[in-house]
């Protein structure tokens, strides 16, 4: 029987599932699957997860009628690892133990789906353009590159021991279960460092010889050792980015790392025995470790609460090379292990990590939950009240913070009622949410299509490379308005029941709206209403239908879900976005507002013609805008202030139009372009037409 805390977690989870039932998604099992996958991804257990329900029968090559079913999947291209999810959801609130036979049946049905895909299931699925058929084609095409497969059970019940690991078509096969007990540990109270336990003897077959360096105070002890590359790779395979501080995300292999990775790979493949000499190794902290006397002296036998605070790039690259190029048999990695004593562990981890990374040319990423940006957003969420003064949004800076706050409020009935009224679950905002909304509005739907965790990594890397001004209350209101807009678009597009790519269509529709409007809509109005207008919802529906068609056409013979993750996909879509038509929704035809914002902004655009001018400005290259400014001002055809606007637009163009023209910039700039062209001063004609303002009328 689960303990009281786990049962409370279960009650809340089932209630949340039941509250989410609607005409759009009436099946609780699908809601449960989508909810759990999103949160497990946020917790760093999986990357790029997608809920996909598909069940049926398939005749194998022997003519047998095979039953299959899956509820979701994840495929990590770099690791070549395929995860198939299957769900058992009862909603009974009693954490009942699931019979072993039912567990085995669910896991086997999911595995049969993969086998059926290899045997050509995609060609028999109707219709042929669904998420499931896309997945079937992906598995069929990638079979040779899949290095391992995991079949994962998600359930609100409890599960005992499950089927041991085996192999699938010569590839390692693992069965896992996330039952309510494990879900509470991961998503409820949140995993702690204590949950990371490494049995060195079991992995390496022996303890690790080490040199103990006692500290001069009680703050820490240090141990110097050499870790087999294969063991380090296995530990990373098991825990992934959770090794890199559970409340701190490190960013591996994103930008500017190719040369470093190439050198690491070359050493591993060509000179594995030299890795110890060439590499600086890793620095790790532990909550505790077991040491003992072996035949050759002191040795480390197990580690508890392991955190790699420097050397994450080495670890991930080593794991990747082990998957693709080498068995790592002759690779050894120097390691310094710090057992923290009287010092504050969190403070120590951050200090060691920052100090070590400053000494290393391979800069690791930043500290997400503890990053000042996220701390500032949390403060704003706690202090910014809705227009009625009775409610606010909850920013879950650290995993499990909402649940912890809810439990704390539950000690007193009045506090519990107040908490739920002020911050209901639908106003919970996670770090992944913030990254998703800001990324898509910044014109990066391709990054959003990578999945929550990877998009978050890119978002934090951009935040590091181009720091934002400190967030303030107007910025936070715009962020929440964008959240309302994005979630409304998700709901509308789900209700349209597209056979595939609903999440990708949502990302591209919202990014398209940002592109067409220059990133300026009536965010203050959305914030005040906490909803979009019916007219805006109707426009989103119209765009979604058109974008679905255009996205599929742009994919051609490519795998659509992979194509949507490419920057080239978004580039190809920018010239094919649907036009606006009168009457415009209130969000687009709002009155001028004097507020300004660096990320999303508020602006002056109010008519279809205004938006057309902005779009036409963005069809002109930076070189032409610069030519208009220089030649027009020199010839006296345009005013020096208008020339300044043209130079500004040239800078926007060079920056890929990340910043977009305002209405007040677009009209004089187009008039200047027309004037300079009519004066015969242009060396080349712009690749767009219709600049005559009289013609517009």
């Amino acid at each position: 029987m689960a303990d009281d805390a786990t049962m409370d977690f279960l009650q809340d989870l089932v209630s949340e599932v039941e509250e989410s039932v609607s005409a759009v998604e009436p099946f609780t099992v699908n809601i449960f699957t989508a909810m759990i996958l999103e949160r497990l991804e946020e917790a760093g257990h999986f990357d790029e997860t997608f809920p996909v329900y598909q069940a049926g029968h398939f005749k194998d090559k022997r003519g047998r009628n095979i039953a299959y079913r899956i509820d979701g999947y994840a495929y990590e291209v770099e690791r070549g690892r395929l995860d198939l999810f299957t769900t058992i959801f009862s909603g009974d609130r009693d954490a009942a133990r699931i019979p072993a036979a039912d567990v085995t049946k669910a896991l086997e049905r999911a595995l049969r789906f993969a086998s059926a895909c290899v045997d050509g299931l995609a060609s028999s699925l109707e219709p042929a353009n669904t998420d499931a058929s896309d997945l079937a084609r992906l598995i069929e095409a990638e079979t040779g590159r899949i290095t391992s497969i995991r079949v994962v059970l998600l359930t609100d019940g409890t599960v005992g021991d499950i089927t041991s690991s085996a192999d699938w078509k010569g590839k390692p096969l693992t069965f896992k279960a996330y039952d309510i007990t494990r879900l509470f540990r991961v998503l409820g109270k949140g995993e702690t460092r204590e949950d990371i336990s490494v049995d060195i003897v079991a992995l390496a077959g022996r303890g690790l010889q080490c040199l103990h360096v006692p500290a001069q105070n009680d703050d820490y002890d240090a141990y110097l050792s050499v870790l087999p590359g294969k063991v380090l790779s296995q530990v990373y395979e098991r825990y992934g980015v959770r090794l890199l501080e559970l409340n701190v995300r490190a960013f591996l292999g994103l930008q500017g790392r190719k040369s470093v990775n190439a050198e690491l790979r070359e050493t591993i493949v060509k000179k594995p025995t030299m890795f110890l000499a060439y590499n600086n190794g890793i620095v790790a902290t532990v909550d505790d470790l077991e040491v003992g006397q072996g035949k050759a002296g002191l040795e480390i036998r197990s580690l508890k609460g392991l955190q790699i605070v420097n050397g994450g790039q080495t670890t991930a690259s080593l794991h990747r090379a082990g998957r693709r190029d080498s068995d790592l048999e002759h690779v050894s990695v120097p390691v310094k292990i710090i057992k923290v004593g009287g010092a504050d562990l969190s403070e120590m981890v951050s200090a060691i990590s920052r100090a070590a990374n400053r000494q290393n040319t391979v800069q690791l990423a930043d500290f997400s939950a503890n990053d000042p940006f996220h701390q500032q957003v949390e403060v704003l969420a706690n202090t910014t009240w809705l227009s009625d003064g009775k409610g606010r949004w909850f920013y879950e800076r650290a995993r499990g913070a909402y649940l912890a706050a809810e439990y704390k409020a539950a000690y007193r009935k009045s506090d519990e009622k107040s908490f739920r009224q002020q911050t209901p679950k639908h106003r919970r905002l996670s770090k992944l949410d913030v990254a998703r909304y800001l990324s898509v509005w910044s014109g990066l739907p391709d990054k959003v299509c990578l999945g929550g965790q990877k998009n978050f990594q890119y978002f934090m890397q951009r935040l590091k490379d181009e720091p934002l001004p400190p967030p303030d209350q107007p910025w936070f209101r715009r962020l929440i308005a964008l959240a309302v807009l994005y979630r409304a678009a998700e709901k509308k597009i789900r209700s349209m029941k597209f056979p595939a790519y609903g999440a990708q269509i949502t990302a591209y529709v919202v990014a398209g709206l940002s592109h067409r409007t220059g990133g300026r809509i009536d965010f203050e109005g959305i914030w005040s209403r906490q909803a979009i207008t019916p007219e805006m919802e109707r426009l989103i529906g119209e765009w979604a239908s058109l974008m679905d068609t255009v996205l599929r056409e742009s994919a051609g013979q490519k795998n659509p879900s992979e194509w949507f993750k490419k920057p080239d996909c978004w580039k190809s879509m920018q010239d094919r976005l649907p036009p606006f038509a009168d009457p415009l929704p209130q969000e687009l035809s709002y009155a001028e507002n004097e507020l300004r914002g660096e990320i999303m902004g508020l602006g002056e655009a109010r008519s279809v013609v205004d938006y057309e001018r902005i779009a036409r400005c963005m069809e002109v290259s930076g070189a032409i805008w610069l030519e208009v400014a220089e030649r027009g001002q020199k010839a006296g055809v345009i005013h020096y202030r208008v020339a300044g606007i043209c130079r500004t637009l040239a800078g926007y163009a060079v920056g890929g139009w990340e910043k977009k023209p305002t209405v007040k910039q677009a009209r004089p700039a187009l008039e200047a372009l027309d004037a300079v062209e009519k004066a015969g001063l242009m060396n080349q004609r712009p690749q767009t037409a219709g600049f005559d303002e009289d013609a517009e009328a």
Side-chain angles (χ1 to χ4, degrees):
M1 182 68 181
D3 59 34
D4 290 343
T6 304
M7 292 302 294
D8 289 341
F9 172 75
L10 173 61
Q11 307 308 310
D12 288 343
L13 189 61
V14 173
S15 296
E16 191 172 354
V17 170
E18 291 174 347
E19 289 168 7
S20 302
V21 172
S22 66
V24 175
E25 182 49 82
F27 300 109
T28 55
V29 64
N30 293 348
I31 295 170
F32 176 80
T33 302
M35 186 183 298
I36 296 302
L37 287 182
E38 180 178 359
R39 293 177 188 179
L40 286 175
E41 185 174 334
E42 183 182 349
H45 282 238
F46 300 97
D47 284 329
E48 295 185 63
T49 62
F50 298 96
V52 177
Y53 174 77
Q54 182 67 32
H57 292 79
F58 179 76
K59 283 194 175 182
D60 65 9
K61 293 179 179 179
R62 299 181 184 179
R64 296 177 300 179
N65 205 28
I66 304 297
Y68 61 80
R69 170 183 160 176
I70 61 160
D71 292 272
Y73 79 98
Y75 181 55
E76 294 184 60
V77 177
E78 285 195 355
R79 291 193 191 186
R81 184 167 70 191
L82 175 67
D83 295 319
L84 295 177
F85 300 99
T86 183
T87 302
I88 298 177
F89 178 74
S90 67
D92 289 340
R93 301 173 183 261
D94 59 1
R97 191 174 185 85
I98 300 173
D102 291 351
V103 172
T104 301
K105 182 179 178 182
L107 294 170
E108 288 179 347
R109 284 188 307 186
L111 187 61
R112 287 193 206 113
F113 176 82
S115 298
C117 292
V118 176
D119 291 338
L121 174 64
S123 61
S124 65
L125 291 177
E126 293 292 341
N129 58 348
T130 64
D131 284 324
S133 60
D134 183 42
L135 172 59
R137 284 189 290 271
L138 174 69
I139 294 175
E140 185 177 2
E142 294 286 315
T143 301
R145 287 183 284 273
I146 293 175
T147 59
S148 64
I149 184 168
R150 295 188 299 185
V151 183
V152 183
L153 173 66
L154 309 175
T155 180
D156 61 340
T158 58
V159 173
D161 294 335
I162 60 173
T163 308
S164 59
S165 301
D167 69 273
W168 176 78
K169 299 187 181 299
K171 306 172 192 299
L173 168 66
T174 306
F175 295 102
K176 288 181 172 290
Y178 282 80
D179 65 358
I180 197 63
T181 302
R182 188 175 184 189
L183 288 174
F184 173 63
R185 190 171 71 246
V186 175
L187 306 178
K189 69 176 182 180
E191 281 192 312
T192 62
R193 280 183 284 266
E194 287 83 354
D195 292 303
I196 296 180
S197 181
V198 180
D199 187 335
I200 297 293
V201 175
L203 291 175
R206 56 179 175 80
L208 300 181
Q209 282 185 260
C210 68
L211 173 64
H212 179 211
V213 185
Q216 296 180 9
N217 52 42
D218 295 329
D219 285 348
Y220 71 91
D221 278 329
Y223 297 82
L224 305 179
S225 186
V226 175
L227 194 61
K230 198 169 186 178
V231 170
L232 183 58
S233 178
Q234 289 172 324
V235 173
Y236 184 75
E237 174 76 18
R238 167 68 179 84
Y239 294 106
V241 294
R242 283 174 289 154
L243 288 171
L244 311 173
E245 171 55 10
L246 292 173
N247 289 317
V248 173
R249 287 283 178 243
F251 309 103
L252 307 175
L254 291 184
Q255 299 172 8
R257 307 288 189 256
K258 291 183 179 179
S259 61
V260 176
N261 285 338
E263 289 178 11
L264 282 169
R265 178 181 174 275
E266 186 174 358
T267 301
I268 292 167
V269 175
K270 296 181 179 179
K271 301 177 180 179
T273 58
M274 298 303 295
F275 193 88
L276 180 67
Y278 291 170
N279 191 266
N280 290 333
I282 64 174
V283 180
T285 62
V286 293
D287 293 344
D288 200 2
L289 76 168
E290 180 189 353
V291 296
Q293 285 293 330
K295 292 181 180 179
L298 194 66
E299 62 181 28
I300 299 172
R301 293 170 180 169
S302 68
L303 305 170
K304 188 173 184 180
L306 175 66
Q307 292 288 287
I308 296 174
V309 294
N310 181 245
Q313 185 74 21
T314 295
T315 304
S317 298
L318 195 69
H319 176 268
R320 190 177 301 117
R323 279 293 187 189
R324 294 182 174 183
D325 309 305
S326 168
D327 60 8
L328 305 180
E329 194 66 42
H330 302 293
V331 174
S332 297
V333 184
V335 57
K336 177 170 66 177
I337 299 173
I338 306 296
K339 179 181 180 292
V340 180
D344 179 84
L345 182 58
S346 296
E347 205 173 289
M348 190 83 161
V349 167
S350 295
I352 294 172
S353 184
R354 286 188 176 94
N357 284 315
R358 274 199 296 266
Q359 298 164 15
N360 193 333
T361 57
V362 183
Q363 294 288 321
L364 279 189
D366 286 3
F367 306 83
S368 64
N370 297 324
D371 187 276
F373 171 80
H374 294 290
Q375 292 177 338
Q376 290 161 356
V377 175
E378 183 180 45
V379 170
L380 288 167
N382 291 336
T383 57
T384 306
W385 293 83
L386 302 184
S387 300
D388 61 8
K390 298 178 181 178
R392 58 186 176 84
W393 283 67
F394 187 99
Y395 184 55
E396 195 168 38
R397 178 171 64 87
R399 287 195 308 275
Y402 183 91
L403 192 66
E406 191 175 39
Y407 284 161
K408 183 179 179 181
Y411 288 127
R412 295 174 59 184
K413 279 291 181 186
S414 58
D415 290 346
E416 181 180 21
K417 183 178 179 181
S418 175
F419 179 82
R420 290 184 175 177
Q421 287 177 341
Q422 291 177 4
T423 53
K425 286 186 174 70
H426 71 269
R427 288 206 291 262
R428 170 187 172 271
L429 195 67
S430 71
K431 296 194 297 293
L432 267 61
D433 289 331
V434 170
R436 182 182 302 117
Y437 305 150
L438 294 181
S439 293
V440 83
W441 200 253
S442 297
L444 297 167
D446 50 298
K447 296 293 185 288
V448 172
C449 288
L450 289 170
Q453 190 60 49
K454 285 193 176 179
N455 174 62
F456 180 75
Q457 293 173 357
Y458 278 101
F459 172 76
M460 288 301 295
Q461 187 67 48
R462 292 197 308 277
L463 201 61
K464 175 187 175 183
D465 295 340
E466 301 175 20
L468 302 176
D472 55 14
Q473 283 207 345
W475 179 92
F476 183 76
R477 291 197 299 269
R478 293 192 291 273
L479 169 65
I480 297 304
L482 180 54
V484 171
L485 171 66
Y486 196 96
R487 292 180 180 185
E490 281 183 314
K491 184 177 179 180
K492 175 62 179 177
I493 291 169
R494 277 200 304 268
S495 72
M496 297 173 73
K497 298 188 182 301
F498 288 100
Y501 318 125
Q504 293 92 331
I505 293 169
T506 300
Y508 275 87
V509 164
V510 178
L513 288 171
S514 174
H515 191 76
R516 270 280 183 260
T517 62
R520 298 170 181 87
I521 66 173
D522 184 13
F523 286 108
E524 285 295 322
I526 298 175
W527 160 262
S528 298
R529 293 188 304 273
Q530 288 291 298
I532 63 172
T533 61
E535 293 77 16
M536 189 68 178
E537 184 180 326
R538 189 158 47 248
L539 183 147
I540 287 171
E542 293 168 357
W543 271 47
S545 295
L546 294 169
M547 293 282 276
D548 176 47
T549 301
V550 177
L551 278 167
R552 289 179 185 277
E553 289 175 353
S554 72
Q557 298 301 310
K558 306 179 189 74
N559 180 287
S561 61
E562 292 303 311
W563 168 241
F564 300 154
K565 301 172 186 176
K566 306 295 184 185
D568 286 345
C569 177
W570 171 233
K571 288 179 184 177
S572 72
M573 293 299 297
Q574 291 176 24
D575 296 329
R576 306 175 70 182
L577 295 173
F580 288 139
D582 287 319
L584 288 170
Q586 182 178 332
E587 289 84 349
L588 306 184
S589 59
Y590 60 98
E592 180 175 343
N593 193 315
E594 293 302 322
L595 291 173
R596 295 289 182 270
E598 294 297 323
I599 296 295
M600 294 166 281
L602 293 171
E604 311 83 358
R606 283 164 281 173
S607 70
V608 170
V609 171
D610 289 326
Y611 291 118
E612 288 175 348
R613 289 188 185 120
I614 291 171
R616 291 196 339 246
C617 282
M618 294 167 63
E619 293 171 359
V620 179
S621 70
I624 290 178
W625 280 124
L626 200 58
E627 190 176 353
V628 169
E630 301 299 331
R631 293 176 179 271
Q633 184 177 355
K634 186 175 182 179
V637 174
I638 61 175
H639 193 275
Y640 76 91
R641 288 181 179 171
V642 177
I645 291 174
C646 294
R647 291 189 184 95
T648 298
L649 295 192
Y652 289 175
V654 170
W657 296 108
E658 186 172 336
K659 290 186 177 179
K660 299 174 178 63
T662 65
V663 173
K664 287 184 177 179
Q665 290 173 324
R667 181 164 187 157
L670 291 175
E671 289 173 346
L673 177 59
D674 187 46
V676 171
E677 189 180 16
K678 285 181 176 177
L681 300 174
M682 300 293 293
N683 283 337
Q684 53 182 319
R685 186 176 178 80
Q687 298 298 310
T688 184
F691 293 101
D692 190 339
E693 290 292 327
D694 294 333
E696 291 178 1

